[in-house]
Amino acid sequence: MSKDLHPRRPVYAPRGVVATTQPLAASAGLAVLRRGGNAVDAAIATAVALTVLQPGSNDIGSDLFALVWDGERLHGLNASGRSPTLLTRDLVVEREPAARVTAALGGTQAVAAQVMPAHGWLPVTVPGAPAGWHDLHERFGSLPFADLFDDAVAYAEHGYGVSPTVAHHWDRAVEVVHAGLAGEEFAEWSRVFTHGGRAPRAGERFSNPDAARTLRAIAATGGATFYRGELAERMVAHAERTGGLLREADLAEHASLWVEPLSVRYRGHDVWELPPNGQGIVALQALGILDGFGAGGDGDLHRQIEAVKLGFADAHAYVGDPSPAVQWPPLLTEDYLARRRALIGEDAAEHPPGDPARGGTVYLCTADADGRMVSLIQSNYMGFGSHVVVPGTGFSLQNRGAGFVLAEGHPNEVGPRRRPFHTIIPGFLTRDGAPVGPFGVMGGHMQPQGHVQVVRSTVDDLLDPQASLDRPRWYWHTGLDVRLEPGLAGAADDLRRRGHRVRIVDEQGAFGYGQAIWRTPSGYAAGSEPRADGAALGY
């Protein structure tokens, strides 16, 4: 753990609990539980509030993924959106000079390069969060849908004091990113999200009346206006005027996907993630590999890093759009995991993909008195997403299309009506068919690495959820580069001897932000990320 962090204590709650990265959002979810709402109602209220309270990490124009334990079994929701029908590889190459260069590389070099633009209209995909809120509520909710928006609307309309970590990242977005963006499509962002060109400071009041009106409209129509009504018309009109690709049919044809979660066995537990187009497969593959080794001992941290690298090599090669036309191979069979495990030796390595048999983000979790639990993650990707704000709506559109690649024939190749590779992944842990609880760690490709570390701390070391989150983390960056928090500095020499290039980094944001709730005989135990502003609140 970073030298600046002080361990928190777990929250024990007999009836219900909410954990997320922003205290006011956690409070919004807890208020819903106390009014008689269930864990899904609380998760929706928390998620909607986070779009207002932490807009750099997520917004109304985000995507959403969720795992829901309904009291008996686990359900998965992929509420990510597809690319516009007009988006093609040739169009990207034509519009973006940098893309022309990297596209010419072809093969794995083009896959590794960040060839898609990060900002503007090209990386904008259809936002899935509003539909996701409605779909979760329609299947599992108990309170009226519109009632779940009350706190979010109030904060947007009347304002709130910006929390410290949010203010820090907001300032970086203004100074580093938005300062370099020019063009009509970016003009509205400054009006909505800055105070005269600067980010709001910690504790300073920020309000967003346009977002309040947008949220009221979504609440009143069950999200329909976002895809087939006034809000959809506004988005399309702005796109047509400023060079965007979104059209009426792209929004009207959007639909979430109910999916079967995937799992892998680890030390007598089952770890659950959503299937691709997300990177949860990385965490599952790494844990499946590590399950074949003993816990702890010499080289334990080295093996964890190598297992994660093997998982990423396969995910970046095989994961893309989850349509039936794009089949990803079975990466979690015992035979394949054994073959990947055999590649881990005493020294660091750069692993290519295997050859299996063919066949900016917020996280929250909730639990209620009847045993329902939710693991939900929502993101507009990089800070403030595309930085495109449709005038009068008060929200930025995501830039999830930046996750596409230009390599022809790749499962994640950019193209029309496709869902890109996603970094955001909710997690869930069970044992012998019974729920242990929801967990997640945010932060780009730190996320599956954080999942591996939280699961190992919980299962191998029997730590409570808060202690698991407090523990110092490692982060594999790329190639042989590994970063350690200061609390792991003692492991640096051994890793260097094995060939890892190690840096000690005292930057809390580099190691992700997590939350977790575990079921106990007396209720729930919950933890919230000490590297951020979050809170776990229960009753």
Side-chain angles (χ1 to χ4, degrees):
M1 186 166 57
S2 171
K3 63 185 179 183
D4 297 75
L5 299 181
H6 300 284
R8 298 182 179 184
R9 298 292 183 262
V11 171
Y12 295 104
R15 298 181 61 188
V17 65
V18 178
T20 193
T21 48
Q22 214 285 345
L24 297 179
S27 179
L30 183 66
V32 164
L33 287 178
R34 295 182 72 95
R35 291 205 306 268
N38 63 29
V40 173
D41 296 322
I44 296 167
T46 304
V48 176
L50 283 166
T51 68
V52 176
L53 299 164
Q54 204 169 336
S57 300
N58 78 135
D59 210 329
I60 299 165
S62 290
D63 274 350
L64 175 158
F65 293 82
L67 289 164
V68 178
W69 180 268
D70 68 1
E72 296 181 355
R73 63 181 294 263
L74 200 61
H75 306 262
L77 180 68
N78 178 335
S80 65
R82 296 181 297 185
S83 55
T85 303
L86 296 176
L87 181 66
T88 65
R89 179 182 181 277
D90 289 344
L91 185 145
V92 176
V93 173
E94 176 186 329
R95 286 197 184 183
E96 294 293 318
R100 286 197 291 272
V101 174
T102 50
L105 295 173
T108 57
Q109 289 178 291
V111 174
Q114 183 61 55
V115 294
M116 286 291 294
H119 305 107
W121 277 111
L122 280 181
V124 171
T125 54
V126 174
W133 303 333
H134 172 265
D135 294 339
L136 285 167
H137 182 267
E138 185 176 53
R139 190 162 183 178
F140 299 109
S142 60
L143 296 182
F145 184 67
D147 291 359
L148 308 180
F149 287 67
D150 289 350
D151 280 3
V153 169
Y155 287 129
E157 191 162 54
H158 303 297
Y160 61 93
V162 176
S163 54
T165 303
V166 172
H168 168 73
H169 292 293
W170 204 324
D171 185 63
R172 288 186 62 183
V174 172
E175 297 296 327
V176 178
V177 178
H178 197 74
L181 302 179
E184 185 182 354
E185 71 263 45
F186 302 117
E188 183 74 354
W189 188 90
S190 292
R191 185 189 73 79
V192 173
F193 290 110
T194 72
H195 287 171
R198 65 165 177 83
R201 302 182 180 94
E204 188 173 8
R205 182 176 288 268
F206 175 79
S207 62
N208 188 345
D210 288 347
R213 288 190 290 272
T214 292
L215 289 172
R216 282 198 184 95
I218 292 171
T221 65
T225 184
F226 194 92
Y227 300 98
R228 292 173 297 279
E230 181 185 353
L231 284 172
E233 292 169 1
R234 283 174 174 252
M235 283 186 274
V236 171
H238 188 58
E240 292 178 334
R241 187 171 59 251
T242 58
L245 305 178
L246 273 182
R247 296 296 183 266
E248 290 90 345
D250 297 320
L251 292 161
E253 294 171 9
H254 171 76
S256 304
L257 302 173
W258 288 102
V259 298
E260 286 298 321
L262 301 175
S263 69
V264 73
R265 293 285 288 174
Y266 181 76
R267 314 273 200 254
H269 291 69
D270 292 299
V271 185
W272 297 86
E273 304 275 356
L274 291 176
N277 53 318
Q279 61 177 343
I281 194 76
V282 177
L284 295 181
Q285 195 177 85
L287 287 165
I289 290 170
L290 292 169
D291 192 48
F293 294 110
D298 185 51
D300 180 59
L301 183 54
H302 161 72
R303 289 192 294 271
Q304 293 180 55
I305 294 168
E306 294 300 296
V308 161
K309 288 157 67 174
L310 285 162
F312 272 116
D314 282 347
H316 289 159
Y318 299 121
V319 171
D321 183 74
S323 72
V326 181
Q327 295 293 318
W328 57 278
L331 302 173
L332 300 177
T333 66
E334 291 186 12
D335 176 69
Y336 183 66
L337 291 174
R339 285 191 281 135
R340 298 299 268 168
R341 186 182 302 122
L343 298 177
I344 298 179
E346 295 300 313
D347 298 320
E350 297 191 59
H351 301 287
D355 186 18
R358 297 292 171 163
T361 303
V362 294
Y363 173 78
L364 65 96
C365 44
T366 62
D368 65 29
D370 294 320
R372 288 177 289 257
M373 292 179 249
V374 178
S375 181
L376 187 151
I377 197 158
Q378 182 172 275
S379 174
N380 52 15
Y381 200 20
M382 304 168 191
F384 290 97
S386 65
H387 283 240
V388 175
V389 177
V390 176
T393 64
F395 67 88
S396 60
L397 291 160
Q398 64 183 22
N399 64 336
R400 277 290 163 187
F404 284 123
V405 298
L406 290 186
E408 292 183 281
H410 190 278
N412 191 36
E413 180 187 357
V414 65
R417 297 170 56 81
R418 293 172 60 82
R419 287 178 168 89
F421 180 96
H422 267 62
T423 57
I424 56 176
I425 52 172
F428 203 92
L429 190 64
T430 64
R431 184 169 189 175
D432 298 328
V436 176
F439 68 96
V441 177
M442 300 158 286
H445 83 289
M446 176 65 204
Q447 293 183 51
Q449 304 184 58
H451 283 211
V452 168
Q453 292 172 69
V454 168
V455 168
R456 284 180 60 86
S457 294
T458 300
V459 175
D460 291 348
D461 300 324
L462 305 179
L463 298 183
D464 65 57
Q466 187 60 62
S468 295
L469 294 166
D470 288 344
R471 182 172 261 189
R473 295 185 189 136
W474 54 265
Y475 167 57
W476 171 69
H477 180 58
T478 185
L480 300 177
D481 294 338
V482 176
R483 298 170 186 181
L484 306 178
E485 285 195 287
L488 285 175
D493 286 346
D494 179 68
L495 291 176
R496 289 186 179 115
R497 282 193 296 270
R498 296 175 184 273
H500 298 278
R501 292 194 288 265
V502 179
R503 287 177 55 200
I504 310 299
V505 178
D506 196 11
E507 169 53 54
Q508 295 170 10
F511 297 92
Y513 301 140
Q515 321 289 327
I517 299 172
W518 300 148
R519 194 181 66 162
T520 72
S522 58
Y524 299 102
S528 181
E529 180 60 59
R531 299 161 184 81
D533 305 323
L537 303 177
Y539 80 116

